[in-house]
């Protein structure tokens, strides 16, 4: 399986995502330049963390206009797997591929720390290999990771089983402890924590790998 | 005698004698732009005129040193074709004037020093000094400075994508009017990809890349070379504003441009901006550089040649490319959305020639700005000190309360609320992060890891700059050894007061000599660094100098492996005090944290150091870790045995310790003295640890066992300390937040 990892100006977890896919997951990965209009032959896309376009205006607000996002959008519409991590999640909500918004952390400060996440459902290509209720220890590193949406949207996310991960102890004020969600088609996921930082035993946890392994095992890929 | 009135020279921090020297070197009076160029290049900050002759006493070589002082950063060979590039630099003065941007651009500046050599930055650490957070008068300002500086470091490092893996933060009254912000950065490079800041090749194009030039930071270097007054805050326009996003692009573009093979030499524009980069690149390459300012990208209109040459706008680089291949360089910068233009060319006449629309506005031999810069053998007497040799008589009423108070002090409490604002994990190399004795980052390319530690105990140095500096080197090396790394090289940041005061100059010289002696002994040559003088504040009529504060950054090497943690992991382990209990008397107790926080006093001398014994203790712990005998490892430093033992208990598992001492020392000494050469380990192999200790002829008594949830320390049956771990931990963890915010809640 080949992952495409988008490099925006200011992405800084692109290499970490690449390394975790190639060295910890033992799959292929290719870096995709933001100015490219094609995703090539990749089977899944990762939008990595960082500060795309300096996070000017709003996190992810400028990245959504980059050329490659048009390709990512149509890839997603065709059922392709797209995983947005941290800044990638912010880009996905700015792009309208996921609902809601990510605003300043409740404490107003950047937080870098391992956190505990609870797997809320295995009904997604990103969590199928995990067990419901399992606690994953994965780091966060963000200043604007507080997930918000109107009550109607939140109710719908829950009713449709689209909340994939919740914080066991909410670090940033996210409504209903939401750490990661997927779209209605269940092929686009955004999450603030960094699974690529929890993929190597030397980093203290390998709990993030299960998300990437789920993607590899996804039937969506066989259909495609 | 000059065409400039005395106040103009004074504003340029140039003396009459220095001006006469300029006239002599040029054979004529300087033009105004030239005066500005001389003033920044001959400033203390750029010329090291007060320290240069003494810095020569430092050891700078070893088998591993690829590049010593004189370049943008030092370089050490780490094997398998790779090298690490590292340096420490201060941004004290800008951070006092504008803490957020001052600290942010401090990070930006040192990062450029690393990647200008072709290395990708993989770690940052910082050493911070502020006035006390709970001081009734200056507390609010000190808290604001701390929050601003930490915010600035986080802002820049997090966005740039370099992990801030550790550091230290200390509070002393002497830093109240003059905080210290020293930033250390380290990068990794393939040996064949190292670049130097040397111009070469007559006719080769000189290329300007990165941010446009504005009026910000004009005269930053001269500002950093004068004392502070209350009016300094009016110098805010002198402070630069950083853009970490632009720097990230600049990093990627520079590393990619270097791969084209078209780049001959490259230097960042840091202090003294375009001036420093042009004359230094020319000087190192034994060539000249000629530029025309009309080509320099400008952010503001109507800038004079003087302003353009002296601007310290951030995120700018100067490159020399091979003639005819500049388009290859431009293409890379365009890809990253950055300005890159040819602004001049390399010449063969060893001159810095600056034109403005074709008209020469400055024409100075490189050597006049660099090698011929003034060098002073400044007068010195005995090091300044006010502390008496003899201390007060004292007797503790409650040793448990003393320990709690120490754990709650700004100096010793957990700094987690600072470092969790720093992304310390990005690049997924940090195997040991903030809060440990030393930080460790793995080098993915080689299977080796690099450990690093910063230390700079100004309190010790105020009692004896020479012995204090030795203790700092020993402590840094011990921190590295404690995590299993072999110390191999160092960088230093010398923060002192006004060198024109003979008693301050004496502090500087003694500290350098002590540091040199220790670095030679521990085989950690100094490959570069920074000198920050004039760290004094005049309030009213009184001039206050900071404690003499040489901050060392030492790097070490070890195989990539799971790190040995600082804190206890399991119950029922033997606790060994490697190096033994150490000695102490009243004279050597006056610089301790106990004297500071419990007795509010300072006297005598710093702890006594036996460098030979220290070296053997360090060799022993490295071998113990290499043989996998230590389950946890933590060195004793500030706060002594009791504080170190408490820190070892702050593990995820609520493991405590029952220690039984056998000493004649009075309890305050045995618990809190700070003699070096001591490391606390927990182990299931006490016998094998003892064998290693015997091999190195060091003491290694088993002083207790790990237990569930309680820290007790007894001496010959008498209970000295008996506290639940949870109580101590809660105090230690919450203290900094309390110091920062308790006062706000009462307003």
């Amino acid at each position: 399986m080949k992952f495409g990892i988008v490099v925006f100006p200011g992405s800084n977890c692109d290499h970490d995502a690449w390394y975790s896919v190639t060295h910890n997951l033992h799959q292929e990965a290719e870096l995709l330049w933001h100015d490219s209009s094609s995703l090539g032959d990749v089977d899944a896309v990762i939008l990595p963390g960082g500060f795309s376009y300096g996070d000017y205006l709003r996190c992810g607000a400028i990245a959504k206009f980059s050329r490659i996002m048009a390709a990512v959008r149509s890839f997603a519409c065709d059922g392709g797997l797209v995983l947005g991590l941290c800044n990638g999640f912010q880009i996905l909500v700015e792009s309208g591929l996921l609902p809601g918004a990510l605003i300043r952390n409740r404490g107003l400060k950047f937080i870098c720390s391992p956190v505990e996440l609870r797997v809320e459902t295995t009904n997604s290509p990103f969590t199928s290999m995990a067990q419901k209720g399992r606690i994953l220890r994965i780091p966060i590193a963000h200043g604007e990771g507080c997930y918000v949406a109107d009550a109607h949207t939140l109710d719908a996310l829950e009713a449709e089983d689209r909340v994939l991960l919740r914080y066991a102890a909410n670090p940033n004020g996210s409504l209903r402890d939401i750490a990661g969600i997927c779209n209605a088609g269940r092929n686009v996921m955004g999450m603030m924590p960094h699974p690529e930082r929890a993929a190597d035993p030397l980093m203290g946890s390998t709990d993030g790998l299960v998300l990437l392994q789920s993607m590899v095992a996804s039937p969506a890929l066989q259909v495609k | 005698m000059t065409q400039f009135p005395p106040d103009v020279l004074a504003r340029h921090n140039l003396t009459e004698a220095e001006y006469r020297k300029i006239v002599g070197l040029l054979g004529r009076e300087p033009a105004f732009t030239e005066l500005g160029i001389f003033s920044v290049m001959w400033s203390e900050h750029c010329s090291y005129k007060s320290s240069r002759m003494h810095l020569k006493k430092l050891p700078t070589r070893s088998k591993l040193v690829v590049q010593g002082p004189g370049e943008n950063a030092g370089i050490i060979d780490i094997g398998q074709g790779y090298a690490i590039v590292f340096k420490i630099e201060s941004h004290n003065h800008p951070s006092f004037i504008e803490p957020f941007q001052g600290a942010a651009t401090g990070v930006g500046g040192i990062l450029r020093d690393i990647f200008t050599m072709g290395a990708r930055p993989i770690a940052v650490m910082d050493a911070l000094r502020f006035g006390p957070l709970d001081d009734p008068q200056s507390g609010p300002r000190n808290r604001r400075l701390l929050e601003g500086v930490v915010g600035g470091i986080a802002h820049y490092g997090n966005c740039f994508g370099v992990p801030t893996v550790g550091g230290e933060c200390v509070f002393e009254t002497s830093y109240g009017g003059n905080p210290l912000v020293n930033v250390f950065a380290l990068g990794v490079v393939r040996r064949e990809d190292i670049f130097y800041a040397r111009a070469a090749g007559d006719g080769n194009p000189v290329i300007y890349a990165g941010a446009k030039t504005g009026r910000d930071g004009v005269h930053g270097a001269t500002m950093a070379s004068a004392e502070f007054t209350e009016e300094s805050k009016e110098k805010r326009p002198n402070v630069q504003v950083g853009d970490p996003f632009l720097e990230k692009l600049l990093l990627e573009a520079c590393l990619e441009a270097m791969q084209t093979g078209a780049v001959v030499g490259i230097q960042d524009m840091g202090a003294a901006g375009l001036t420093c980069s042009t004359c230094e690149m020319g000087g190192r390459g034994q060539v000249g550089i000629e530029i025309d300012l009309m080509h320099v990208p400008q952010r503001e209109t109507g800038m004079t040649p003087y302003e353009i040459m002296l601007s310290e706008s951030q995120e700018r680089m100067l490159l020399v490319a091979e003639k005819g291949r500049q388009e290859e360089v431009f293409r890379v910068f365009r890809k990253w959305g950055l300005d890159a233009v040819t602004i001049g060319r390399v010449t063969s006449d060893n001159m810095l020639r600056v034109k403005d629309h074709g008209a020469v506005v400055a024409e100075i031999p490189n050597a006049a700005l660099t090698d011929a810069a003034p060098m002073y053998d400044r007068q010195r007497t005995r090091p300044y000190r006010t502390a008496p040799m003899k201390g007060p008589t004292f007797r503790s009423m409650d040793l448990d309360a003393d320990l709690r108070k120490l754990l709650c002090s700004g100096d010793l409490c957990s700094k987690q609320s600072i470092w969790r604002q720093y992304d310390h994990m990005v690049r997924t190399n940090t195997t040991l992060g903030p809060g440990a004795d030393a930080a460790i980052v793995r080098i993915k390319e080689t299977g080796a890891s690099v450990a690093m530690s910063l230390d700079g105990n100004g309190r010790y140095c105020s009692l004896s700059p020479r012995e204090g500096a030795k203790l700092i080197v020993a402590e840094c090396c011990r921190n590295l050894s404690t995590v299993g790394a072999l110390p191999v090289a160092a960088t230093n940041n010398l923060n002192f007061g006004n060198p024109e005061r003979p008693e301050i100059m004496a502090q500087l010289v003694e500290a350098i000599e002590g540091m040199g002696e220790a670095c030679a002994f521990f085989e950690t040559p100094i490959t570069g660094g920074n000198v920050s003088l004039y760290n004094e504040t005049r309030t009213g009529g009184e001039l206050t100098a900071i404690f003499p504060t040489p901050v060392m950054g030492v790097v070490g090497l070890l195989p990539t492996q799971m790190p040995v943690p600082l804190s206890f992991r399991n119950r029922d382990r033997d606790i060994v005090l490697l190096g033994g209990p150490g000695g102490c008397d009243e004279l050597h107790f006056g610089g301790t944290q106990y004297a500071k926080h419990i007795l509010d006093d300072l006297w005598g001398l710093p702890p006594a150091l036996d460098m030979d014994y220290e070296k053997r203790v360090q060799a022993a712990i490295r071998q113990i870790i290499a043989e996998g005998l230590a389950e946890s490892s933590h060195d004793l430093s500030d706060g002594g045995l009791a504080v170190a033992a408490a820190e070892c208990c702050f593990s995820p598992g609520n493991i405590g310790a029952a220690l039984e001492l056998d000493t004649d020392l009075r309890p305050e000494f045995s618990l809190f003295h700070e003699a070096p050469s001591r490391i606390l380990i927990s182990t299931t192999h006490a016998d094998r640890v003892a064998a290693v200790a015997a091999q190195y002829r060091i003491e290694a008594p088993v002083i207790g066992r790990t237990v569930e949830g309680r820290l007790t320390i007894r001496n010959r049956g008498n209970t000295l300390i008996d506290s639940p771990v949870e109580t101590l931990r809660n105090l230690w963890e919450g203290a900094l937040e309390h110091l920062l915010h308790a006062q706000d809640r009462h307003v």
Side-chain angles (χ1 to χ4, degrees):
Chain A
M1 171 170 180
K2 188 171 180 184
F3 286 78
I5 297 158
V6 177
V7 182
F8 298 100
S11 293
N12 63 28
C13 302
D14 46 347
H15 188 265
D16 300 354
W18 178 86
Y19 186 87
S20 65
V21 168
T22 55
H23 286 69
N24 303 129
L25 192 67
H26 307 293
Q27 298 290 327
E28 279 183 77
E30 182 185 341
L31 296 172
L32 303 170
W33 187 236
H34 70 107
D35 204 26
S36 161
S37 53
S38 154
L39 302 179
D41 60 349
V42 305
D43 302 303
V45 172
I46 293 178
L47 303 183
F51 291 71
S52 58
Y53 301 90
D55 274 355
Y56 291 147
L57 189 58
R58 273 191 322 276
C59 304
I62 300 179
K64 80 167 168 183
F65 295 112
S66 67
R67 189 175 292 175
I68 201 161
M69 279 310 292
V72 170
R73 208 172 274 117
S74 68
F75 180 77
C77 286
D78 293 344
L81 295 187
V82 178
L83 175 62
L85 306 174
C86 198
N87 192 230
F89 186 14
Q90 294 164 338
I91 294 167
L92 288 174
V93 297
E94 284 289 340
S95 304
L97 285 167
L98 291 173
L102 292 147
I103 62 169
R104 202 73 188 273
N105 291 348
R106 178 174 47 193
L108 303 181
K109 285 182 175 153
F110 190 98
I111 306 170
C112 178
S113 175
V115 298
E116 294 192 335
L117 305 172
R118 194 171 55 248
V119 177
E120 293 292 293
T121 176
T122 55
N123 177 22
S124 86
F126 307 95
T127 53
S128 62
M129 304 273 285
Q131 297 86 42
K132 185 171 174 172
R134 180 181 159 191
I135 295 293
L136 305 177
R137 196 172 155 83
I138 296 179
I140 57 166
H142 58 245
E144 304 185 32
C146 173
Y147 183 76
V148 294
D150 58 56
H152 175 75
T153 304
L154 294 171
D155 290 344
L157 284 173
E158 288 177 340
E160 294 163 22
D161 200 21
R162 287 164 56 191
V163 176
L164 307 187
L165 299 169
R166 278 188 221 268
Y167 299 108
N170 194 333
N172 54 23
S174 290
L175 295 181
R176 304 192 193 177
D177 303 330
I178 287 174
I181 57 171
C182 68
N183 64 343
R186 310 193 84 77
N187 63 317
V188 178
M189 179 189 185
M191 61 187 286
M192 286 313 295
H194 287 272
E196 80 282 14
R197 297 186 184 189
D200 189 320
L202 280 168
M203 296 297 107
S205 168
T206 53
D207 289 355
L209 270 181
V210 71
L211 299 165
L212 300 172
Q213 286 160 345
S214 298
M215 290 172 76
V216 175
S218 162
L221 288 182
Q222 325 316 332
V223 174
K224 215 176 124 272
Chain B
M1 67 153 275
T2 86
Q3 62 171 340
F4 301 107
D7 68 303
V8 172
L9 292 190
R11 262 190 284 126
H12 284 81
N13 272 2
L14 287 167
T15 65
E16 281 282 342
E18 286 171 346
Y19 185 79
R20 280 196 298 277
K21 188 170 177 183
I22 292 171
V23 174
L25 285 164
L26 289 178
R28 60 180 166 81
E29 301 252 343
F32 186 58
T33 302
E34 292 173 328
L35 185 74
I37 289 172
F38 272 104
S39 80
V40 290
M41 288 308 296
W42 284 17
S43 70
E44 191 68 57
H45 188 83
C46 291
S47 73
Y48 298 93
K49 57 190 169 192
S50 301
S51 58
R52 215 153 82 223
M53 61 175 287
H54 300 290
L55 294 173
K56 290 177 183 162
K57 299 169 188 170
L58 295 171
T60 59
R61 289 196 193 135
S62 79
K63 280 196 297 249
L64 298 180
V65 174
V66 177
Q67 175 67 53
E71 263 285 348
N72 281 296
I75 305 181
I76 293 290
D77 191 343
I78 59 167
Q80 296 180 57
Y82 281 83
I84 51 171
V85 179
F86 62 97
K87 196 166 95 163
I88 190 167
E89 208 163 81
S90 66
H91 235 211
N92 306 336
H93 297 83
S95 300
F96 180 60
I97 294 171
E98 212 298 287
F100 186 94
Q101 288 298 342
T105 53
V107 176
I110 191 71
L111 289 173
R112 281 193 300 285
D113 281 335
I114 303 305
F115 69 76
T116 192
M117 306 206 70
R120 179 176 287 278
I122 57 167
V124 161
M125 294 180 101
D126 21 64
L128 310 178
R129 302 287 183 277
F130 302 97
L133 299 178
D134 51 0
D135 184 85
Q137 255 93 57
S138 63
R141 182 183 67 187
N142 299 334
R143 295 195 292 273
R144 184 184 63 80
L145 284 168
L146 171 67
E147 300 214 78
V149 165
V150 169
I153 291 169
H155 164 71
Y156 209 100
N158 294 354
C159 179
F160 179 82
V162 64
T164 301
V165 297
E168 38 141 34
C169 182
V170 170
F171 306 91
E172 294 280 1
T173 308
S174 84
Y175 305 117
N178 196 123
L180 302 185
V181 176
N182 292 182
V183 187
F184 165 97
L186 181 142
V188 61
V189 63
R190 282 204 317 174
R191 277 204 63 170
E192 63 206 58
D193 292 343
I194 294 171
F195 273 79
Y196 293 100
R198 286 179 205 143
D202 196 1
N204 274 343
V206 173
I207 295 171
Y208 170 115
K212 292 177 169 46
T213 296
R215 289 192 172 91
D216 48 341
V218 173
H219 266 306
T222 34
M223 174 186 77
S225 305
E227 294 145 7
F228 266 134
T229 59
E230 282 302 310
E231 291 76 52
S232 295
K233 289 177 212 158
E234 291 167 20
K235 293 193 173 173
R236 195 163 286 143
N238 277 8
V239 177
Q240 316 85 325
V241 175
D243 180 348
F245 169 59
L246 194 55
E247 178 116 325
K248 164 72 173 167
L249 302 182
L250 199 56
L251 159 76
E252 300 298 342
C254 286
L255 295 186
E256 202 172 314
M258 289 167 178
Q259 291 300 317
T260 63
V263 177
V264 173
I266 175 168
Q267 173 160 349
D268 74 300
M269 295 188 221
L274 200 47
T275 292
C276 188
S277 52
T278 46
C279 73
E280 285 192 355
M281 279 191 80
R284 288 199 196 93
Q286 306 282 312
V287 294
I289 283 185
E290 179 181 304
I291 58 173
D292 193 318
L293 300 179
M294 71 176 175
H295 302 301
V296 172
Q298 291 163 46
R299 203 171 59 213
E300 301 172 49
T301 54
M303 288 182 69
T304 64
Y306 178 98
E307 289 170 327
I308 296 171
M309 287 305 288
L310 267 57
S311 164
E312 293 190 0
S313 290
Q314 298 291 293
E315 292 94 23
R316 301 180 300 162
M317 304 293 274
L318 194 75
L319 297 84
V320 173
E322 267 183 39
K323 196 162 27 178
R325 297 187 65 185
Q326 55 268 47
E327 184 50 35
E328 295 172 52
V329 175
F330 294 155
R331 198 177 303 134
V332 173
F333 281 91
R334 265 201 308 274
K335 173 186 164 189
W336 289 95
L338 295 171
D339 276 334
V341 292
T342 301
I343 61 166
R345 64 188 178 88
V346 176
T347 66
S348 57
D349 62 4
N350 291 305
M351 300 285 278
L352 167 62
R353 190 173 299 106
V354 182
K355 294 179 176 174
D356 185 25
H357 293 83
V360 174
V361 292
E363 192 167 30
I364 308 170
N366 289 323
L369 294 170
T370 53
D371 300 341
M375 178 160 81
Y376 296 127
D377 184 3
R378 293 204 189 271
Q379 195 196 343
R380 54 190 194 273
T381 52
R382 288 167 65 84
Y384 176 82
R385 80 173 265 165
T386 49
M389 291 309 277
K390 205 170 156 38
T393 48
F394 63 94
R395 180 157 301 280
S396 173
M397 304 306 288
D398 185 343
L399 292 163
D400 272 309
D402 293 346
L403 175 60
R404 287 196 297 270
K405 192 167 180 192
L406 283 171
L407 291 172
C408 287
S409 68
D411 298 320
L412 298 177
C413 71
S414 168
K415 304 296 192 302
Q416 191 186 9
S417 69
I418 291 179
W419 53 254
R420 63 189 245 137
Q421 296 178 58
Y422 304 146
D423 189 338
H424 49 269
M425 306 167 180
V426 63
R427 304 207 65 77
T428 58
N429 294 321
T430 312
T431 57
L432 198 58
D437 287 319
I440 305 178
V441 291
R442 65 166 165 183
I443 307 295
K444 287 192 180 109
E445 294 85 347
T446 72
S449 286
V450 177
M452 57 204 97
S453 166
L454 298 188
D455 191 66
N457 192 318
R459 187 155 272 259
Y460 289 174
C461 290
S462 76
L463 298 176
S464 168
R466 186 181 301 272
E467 294 306 312
K470 287 186 203 169
L471 283 160
I472 289 169
V473 176
E475 160 93 38
C476 274
C477 293
R478 187 165 62 250
N479 285 337
L480 297 179
S481 298
T482 299
V483 300
L486 176 69
V488 293
T491 175
N492 63 357
N493 205 138
L494 303 168
N495 306 278
F496 289 78
N498 180 350
E500 295 162 46
R501 293 169 59 190
E503 68 277 20
I504 299 291
M505 194 62 210
Q507 289 180 337
L508 175 63
V509 173
E510 294 212 358
I512 289 173
E513 288 172 356
M515 178 181 292
E517 188 187 336
C519 282
F521 187 82
F522 291 105
E523 298 162 73
T524 52
I526 291 185
T527 59
N530 174 245
V531 180
S532 173
L533 303 178
Y534 298 94
N535 288 291
E536 308 198 347
T537 322
R538 188 186 295 277
T539 35
E542 207 165 328
L543 206 53
T544 320
I546 59 162
F547 277 165
T549 313
V551 173
M552 297 291 304
V554 181
V555 299
L557 302 176
L558 72 166
T560 295
Q561 60 197 13
M562 288 302 283
V564 176
L566 178 155
S567 57
F568 301 136
R569 291 294 118 149
N570 293 294
R571 277 184 308 170
D572 301 323
R573 299 296 187 252
D574 285 319
I575 298 172
V576 179
L577 182 53
L578 207 64
C584 183
D585 55 20
E586 195 209 337
L587 182 67
H588 294 91
F589 194 69
T592 61
Q593 293 294 309
Y594 189 93
K596 175 180 177 181
H597 291 289
I598 308 298
L599 306 174
D600 191 22
D601 215 330
L602 174 66
W603 75 87
L605 293 173
L609 170 68
D610 176 341
M611 291 207 292
D612 189 65
Y613 191 74
E614 173 77 44
K615 202 174 187 175
R616 282 185 276 133
V617 169
Q618 293 187 19
I621 185 64
R622 288 195 302 269
Q623 186 170 330
I624 286 165
I625 288 176
E627 291 182 16
L629 304 178
E631 208 169 80
S632 71
S633 170
H634 181 30
D635 82 310
L636 273 57
S637 61
D638 295 357
L641 174 63
V643 167
E647 288 166 345
C648 288
C649 295
F650 302 150
S651 66
N654 197 34
I655 310 292
L659 306 183
E660 187 70 53
L661 309 179
D662 179 17
T663 171
D664 293 324
L665 290 177
R666 56 183 290 189
E668 295 89 343
F669 288 3
S670 64
L671 292 174
F672 301 110
H673 83 80
E674 296 177 4
S677 319
R678 297 184 296 161
I679 297 162
L680 207 54
I681 63 173
S682 63
T683 180
T684 52
H685 302 283
D687 50 339
R688 290 177 63 192
V689 167
V692 175
Q695 184 189 332
Y696 290 97
R697 292 172 290 117
I698 60 166
E699 294 179 62
V702 175
I703 59 164
R705 299 277 286 173
T706 55
V707 298
E708 182 73 39
R710 208 166 179 88
L711 174 64
T712 56
I713 306 179
R714 276 187 280 272
N715 185 40
R716 295 172 182 159
N718 293 324
T719 299
L720 309 179
I721 296 290
D722 184 6
S723 282
V725 166
E726 199 182 347
T727 311
L728 299 178
R729 184 217 302 267
N730 288 343
L731 289 168
W732 176 77
E733 281 182 348
L736 190 58
E737 279 296 314
H738 184 76
L739 283 167
L740 283 171
H741 300 301
Q743 289 81 356
D744 304 346
R745 283 196 286 273
H746 295 303
V747 174

